[in-house]
Amino acid sequence: MEDSLVRETGMISPPMVSGAKPDTGHFEEFCLNPAPFLMRCHAECGEVSSFDLAGLKTTLLVGEDAHEAVYRAPDSQLSAAQAYQFMVPVFGQGIQYGAPPAIERQQLKIQAVGLRHDRMVHYAPIIAQEVRQWIADWPDEGEDDFYEKFTELTLKTSTHCLMGADFRASMSDEFRGLYHDLEMSVDPAGLADPNQHSEMAMRRDIARARLGELIGERVVQRKAALARGEEFHDMFQHYLDATYSDGTRLTDHEIAGMVIWFMFAGHHTSGNTSSWMLVELARHPDLMAEIVVELDQLLGDSEQVSFQSLREMPLLDAFLEEVLRLHAPLVTLSRRVMKDFHYKDYVIEAGDNVMVSPYVAHRQPEIFDDPLSFNPKRTFPDGPFAYLPFGGGRHKCVGNAFALLQVKTIFAYLLRKFEFELSEPAEYYRDIMPSLILRPSDPCRLRFRRRGR
């Protein structure tokens, strides 16, 4: 069929990457770590390359023109929902990728309204409070796995902003364990087999059902509190108040799914980005010193970091922007081709996947000078399709602003209190990918010492 299509249209099929195995194609190499595999695809084939994920033909498109073509294509041609069906058991049927397109758009709007400026102003002091409590009992010096520490912290901050102070205060090890099981079920293999029946998939389903019960209990408790005249301003209340265009409210099942969706959007990226942020700061002590001076001059001895002050930290902003360039948490962004997709002289057939990779995109020397070097003082391109740490188009990560708020607040406190250095040689810290989110080497240990000692 492919050959006849090519003859009829005069277009060509994308070149296939070498090294495919007879039965599984490139599946094993991709699952081992998609980042270096996708770099190999681009190095071998250029702007357009195809590979085989155990029968699912996938085409990687690299470059501003290619990214624009993908992100501007309508859902009827390139479908995010069909590419991410493995997320449906995580969020639940009827939520985001498991909902009809019209419902998904309304749910996305509900999430966006809950993360607009006036609500971010409310969340900022909550995050600051959590960070102050987090560092309050640190010793004067020590060593720790900061990936684990940041993961725990951002789970607390996200939960506090999402579910309110009462839930945060009562958050149990059970909740953390259930959420961890959901996270670990999201791996590269899901792109090819969304219905994989692994042990982790079974744990995912058990965790999702139990989280639904726990969140359902909070719905009942919240409604009782509202009946007593209490007021709330968290995301959870936003979900209870929200309505679809026909006036119907979210069901308890949908509220649970929206909670989990928010957690994935705001917690995943924050924990991983904070870890890489600290590693790069320790790798570049001269740049860390410049940022500390900026923070000291702006904040002085104040223990308060306001939402407004977070917008007046250009050196910290530039450093974070460069961290996200080299260590974008989302390595792959996929779409299912619903109708044959033409790009330049190539045709990508319906039923295939197309993929954009921020990891590969941010390492293009024609776009970023000396792209493998860490340089927060570099000039970034103006175009909207060159720098893609959170994706692009209508499916851009809805939690990106919240993630940035968390990371900046964490370091506005952390760097004024402590100094950091690597525990291992600099080359030890590299990108690994146990799930679909990029993270630094495990363990990610660094040494810390209280400033002024």
Side-chain angles (χ1 to χ4, degrees):
M1 176 181 176
E2 184 175 307
D3 290 342
S4 62
L5 178 65
V6 169
R7 285 195 298 271
E8 291 171 8
T9 63
M11 305 191 80
I12 59 176
S13 297
M16 183 66 67
V17 176
S18 65
K21 294 185 176 181
D23 296 328
T24 58
H26 304 91
F27 183 72
E28 293 175 11
E29 184 180 359
F30 178 86
C31 291
L32 183 64
N33 191 329
F37 171 70
L38 295 175
M39 289 295 290
R40 181 172 83 80
C41 292
H42 180 259
E44 184 175 312
C45 300
E47 184 183 29
V48 181
S49 59
S50 288
F51 50 93
D52 176 9
L53 293 182
L56 175 62
K57 186 178 179 182
T58 301
T59 298
L60 174 68
L61 297 171
V62 179
E64 291 182 87
D65 292 343
H67 301 157
E68 182 174 9
V70 171
Y71 286 130
R72 291 200 185 281
D75 288 345
S76 59
Q77 183 169 40
L78 299 182
S79 170
Q82 290 303 308
Y84 288 106
Q85 282 299 292
F86 65 92
M87 293 300 301
V88 174
V90 176
F91 297 154
Q93 287 289 343
I95 295 95
Q96 201 191 27
Y97 300 128
I103 296 298
E104 182 196 4
R105 286 192 292 272
Q106 293 181 64
Q107 291 174 349
L108 184 62
K109 183 178 180 180
I110 290 170
Q111 295 281 30
V113 170
L115 293 168
R116 65 190 183 190
H117 179 270
D118 60 328
R119 289 185 176 268
M120 298 290 277
V121 172
H122 174 70
Y123 301 146
I126 294 174
I127 297 170
Q129 174 190 340
E130 288 286 350
V131 178
R132 289 196 300 270
Q133 292 176 354
W134 181 58
I135 63 176
D137 59 353
W138 283 21
D140 287 340
E141 59 183 285
E143 181 179 328
D144 218 323
D145 182 346
F146 274 88
Y147 177 81
E148 295 299 329
K149 290 182 75 69
F150 284 131
T151 298
E152 180 180 359
L153 172 63
T154 55
L155 184 61
K156 290 176 179 178
T157 56
S158 296
T159 303
H160 195 161
C161 295
L162 173 63
M163 301 291 289
D166 289 347
F167 186 89
R168 162 64 185 88
S170 63
M171 189 174 71
S172 64
D173 289 338
E174 181 190 18
F175 182 86
R176 286 188 286 269
L178 293 170
Y179 188 74
H180 178 264
D181 284 349
L182 283 188
E183 285 186 311
M184 295 310 297
S185 72
V186 180
D187 62 15
L191 289 171
D193 182 10
N195 300 308
Q196 54 183 316
H197 297 290
S198 63
E199 178 185 351
M200 190 56 71
M202 290 187 287
R203 292 177 64 179
R204 171 202 66 201
D205 294 342
I206 294 171
R208 177 61 181 82
R210 178 57 180 152
L211 280 171
E213 293 175 359
L214 291 175
I215 296 170
E217 292 171 2
R218 303 304 299 189
V219 171
V220 173
Q221 295 170 13
R222 177 60 62 89
K223 289 179 178 178
L226 292 170
R228 295 193 296 269
E230 297 181 38
E231 295 185 1
F232 302 90
H233 303 283
D234 48 42
M235 277 289 283
F236 194 55
Q237 188 61 45
H238 173 61
Y239 295 145
L240 267 68
D241 294 338
T243 61
Y244 289 115
S245 58
D246 64 359
T248 60
R249 294 186 180 276
L250 300 177
T251 65
D252 289 1
H253 170 75
E254 289 171 327
I255 290 172
M258 297 287 275
V259 167
I260 295 168
W261 179 0
F262 176 98
M263 293 292 287
F264 264 75
H267 165 240
H268 254 323
T269 49
S270 300
N272 286 275
T273 300
S274 294
S275 302
W276 269 121
M277 185 88 169
L278 190 60
V279 169
E280 294 294 1
L281 284 163
R283 274 176 171 166
H284 302 90
D286 53 334
L287 297 176
M288 178 164 53
E290 292 178 7
I291 294 173
V292 170
V293 171
E294 175 182 73
L295 294 173
D296 286 345
Q297 291 177 344
L298 176 65
L299 301 170
D301 295 328
S302 174
E303 290 295 321
Q304 303 300 318
V305 177
S306 67
F307 183 78
Q308 180 58 40
S309 66
L310 290 169
R311 305 174 74 178
E312 300 172 4
M313 303 173 182
L315 295 182
L316 185 63
D317 283 337
F319 198 96
L320 176 54
E321 188 175 35
E322 181 71 346
V323 167
L324 287 168
R325 184 188 69 82
L326 274 180
H327 308 292
L330 301 176
V331 175
T332 64
L333 298 155
S334 297
R335 302 286 185 268
R336 181 64 49 80
V337 182
M338 309 306 291
K339 302 174 185 176
D340 290 347
F341 180 65
H342 295 171
Y343 175 68
K344 294 187 176 178
D345 294 330
Y346 298 100
V347 58
I348 304 168
E349 291 190 87
D352 294 351
N353 264 14
V354 296
M355 183 177 287
V356 169
S357 172
Y359 185 93
V360 178
H362 295 168
R363 285 164 170 76
Q364 299 309 299
E366 62 272 21
I367 300 176
F368 299 95
D369 292 336
D370 193 12
L372 299 184
S373 69
F374 187 88
N375 178 16
K377 299 178 182 180
R378 73 169 64 249
T379 299
F380 276 69
D382 293 329
F385 299 104
Y387 180 65
L388 310 163
F390 297 105
R394 60 180 62 83
H395 293 286
K396 184 176 181 179
C397 178
V398 69
N400 66 311
F402 183 76
L404 295 175
L405 175 68
Q406 290 199 85
V407 174
K408 290 183 65 176
T409 304
I410 289 169
F411 284 93
Y413 281 102
L414 206 55
L415 294 180
R416 288 188 299 143
K417 297 293 185 180
F418 294 93
E419 301 169 347
F420 297 90
E421 60 182 25
L422 302 177
S423 298
E424 305 289 344
E427 60 272 16
Y428 165 84
Y429 303 88
R430 58 184 181 84
D431 298 310
I432 65 171
M433 200 169 169
S435 66
L436 276 178
I437 303 295
L438 204 64
R439 59 152 292 177
S441 296
D442 184 14
C444 181
R445 300 188 68 82
L446 291 94
R447 290 187 290 270
F448 62 90
R449 181 174 59 253
R450 194 176 298 275
R451 285 181 63 191
R453 292 186 178 269

